[in-house]
Amino acid sequence: MRGRPQAPTCIAGPCLPLFANNSKTWFAIGRRLRLNNNVVAQSELRIMRSSLLLLFPILRIYGVTAFSPANQMNIRSPSTQFFASEDNVQLDRRSFAKKSIASITTVTSASVALITNSQSALADDEGVIIDPSVDFPKITNKVYLDVKFGKYKTKRMVIGLFGDIMPKATENFLTLCSNGDVSYAGTTFYRVISDMTIQGGAIGSSSGKSSASAILQPDNYSIKHTKAGLVSAVRNKDGSIDSRFFIQTNDDAGWADDRYAAFGIVLEEEGTSGMDLVKKISKVDVKAPQNNPKDPVMIVGCGVLEV
């Protein structure tokens, strides 16, 4: 049939030209892959993207560009002319090897960068799931909270933040840990639900019903609550978040999925208390009906650490 040639199609819709060696192109292909209208699992997307990238040098070397729209209009690419020359020119093996190595090196570098940054790109897609118990997110920043309560001396809690996946929530938490005019220093863990969560960070409110901090919208709800120590933003009635946060004490907190945005996790580091401190806070005596600790659990200091 004559007329304007059409690009080949696949399950992802119209394919992009096969000779494209741009990482954004492969991101686009991966994002558009759908099976039965469901988002492909993150691990499967990574495998497909990596496979496509590693296949590229072979496709390029053996002239697959012949199937591009340009070649359907009888416009020959340099590689097609090289391999399909009417004069049957002898292949220069040395030139072939150099081009092959250069292509593979470029694609390998792109593959490494693609896998490293895949979580942040995937998190932008609606419906993508990140399970930290299986695929732990990259920690981009670290902060600390110094906590004092009961008979215990001041103990330090270090929190790692997922800045690539949750940039707005991470920036907000970093700012509040930087000891500026508005910070977590002097606030409390105002609610404790045993074997479930500890909640804190209500600036200017001992009850935890409000906060005097900035209000923003959560980045996404991609990270599932499948690991003890995950730090998530407390949600307002309109879905916005502020300075308040909670730390889950058990691995299974499925009740928080798709409702609360996880953006960090309590780390186990030398010289710090980690989850042991979280567990101790979760066992303090509380007052009904709001489960407020009978004795204050104070955040006496905070700050930012180097990663």
Side-chain angles (χ1 to χ4, degrees):
M1 180 176 180
R2 294 185 178 181
R4 184 176 180 181
Q6 300 296 319
T9 59
C10 65
I11 61 171
C15 287
L16 297 173
L18 292 173
F19 53 83
N21 61 352
N22 187 309
S23 62
K24 291 183 179 179
T25 300
W26 299 117
F27 267 126
I29 293 175
R31 285 184 175 182
R32 295 176 64 186
L33 282 174
R34 298 290 186 273
L35 296 177
N36 297 326
N37 295 323
N38 292 325
V39 179
V40 180
Q42 181 181 359
S43 59
E44 294 173 346
L45 276 176
R46 283 184 171 178
I47 292 171
M48 285 185 281
R49 286 173 173 167
S50 299
S51 299
L52 286 170
L53 283 168
L54 293 174
L55 280 172
F56 168 70
I58 299 173
L59 296 175
R60 187 175 184 179
I61 290 169
Y62 288 99
V64 178
T65 52
F67 297 100
S68 69
N71 281 300
Q72 290 181 11
M73 292 187 293
N74 297 321
I75 300 175
R76 290 189 174 186
S77 67
S79 61
T80 306
Q81 291 179 340
F82 183 73
F83 285 98
S85 172
E86 295 179 359
D87 297 329
N88 196 23
V89 179
Q90 187 84 19
L91 174 64
D92 184 341
R93 294 182 179 180
R94 184 173 299 175
S95 175
F96 176 86
K98 287 181 179 179
K99 291 180 180 179
S100 300
I101 293 171
S103 296
I104 293 171
T105 301
T106 301
V107 172
T108 302
S109 300
S111 299
V112 173
L114 180 63
I115 293 172
T116 301
N117 296 316
S118 61
Q119 287 176 326
S120 58
L122 286 169
D124 292 335
D125 288 342
E126 183 180 356
V128 172
I129 296 174
I130 298 174
D131 184 349
S133 67
V134 177
D135 189 11
F136 195 76
K138 177 184 176 182
I139 292 176
T140 58
N141 308 88
K142 289 182 183 180
V143 298
Y144 69 85
L145 303 175
D146 288 335
V147 183
K148 177 74 173 71
F149 67 102
K151 63 182 180 180
Y152 301 105
K153 295 180 179 179
T154 300
K155 294 184 178 294
R156 175 160 292 187
M157 179 190 302
V158 175
I159 297 173
L161 304 176
F162 309 139
D164 286 345
I165 304 173
M166 307 293 290
K168 290 190 293 185
T170 293
E171 183 62 30
N172 185 53
F173 205 77
L174 279 171
T175 300
L176 295 171
C177 287
S178 299
N179 286 308
D181 295 334
V182 179
S183 79
Y184 286 127
T187 64
T188 65
F189 282 94
Y190 58 84
R191 182 171 295 121
V192 172
I193 304 176
S194 183
D195 295 323
M196 192 172 180
T197 69
I198 62 173
Q199 302 174 25
I203 297 173
S205 173
S206 59
S207 66
K209 293 182 179 180
S210 62
S211 175
S213 67
I215 297 176
L216 61 151
Q217 294 299 318
D219 300 272
N220 55 68
Y221 301 98
S222 296
I223 300 174
K224 299 306 173 184
H225 297 76
T226 57
K227 194 171 182 64
L230 278 174
V231 183
S232 303
V234 171
R235 175 175 172 163
N236 295 312
K237 291 182 179 180
D238 62 357
S240 62
I241 62 176
D242 47 47
S243 65
R244 293 171 295 169
F245 63 91
F246 68 86
I247 303 173
Q248 67 187 66
T249 58
N250 296 316
D251 288 332
D252 184 7
W255 52 268
D257 289 346
D258 302 317
R259 296 182 60 200
Y260 298 95
F263 60 87
I265 192 167
V266 174
L267 301 176
E268 302 290 345
E269 297 202 336
E270 185 177 355
T272 67
S273 298
M275 283 302 294
D276 179 61
L277 175 56
V278 173
K279 293 286 187 180
K280 286 178 179 177
I281 296 174
S282 72
K283 300 298 183 183
V284 300
D285 293 332
V286 298
K287 299 178 292 185
Q290 298 297 324
N291 285 62
N292 307 120
K294 290 182 177 179
D295 296 319
V297 181
M298 297 292 301
I299 299 176
V300 295
C302 56
V304 179
L305 300 171
E306 292 185 3
V307 178

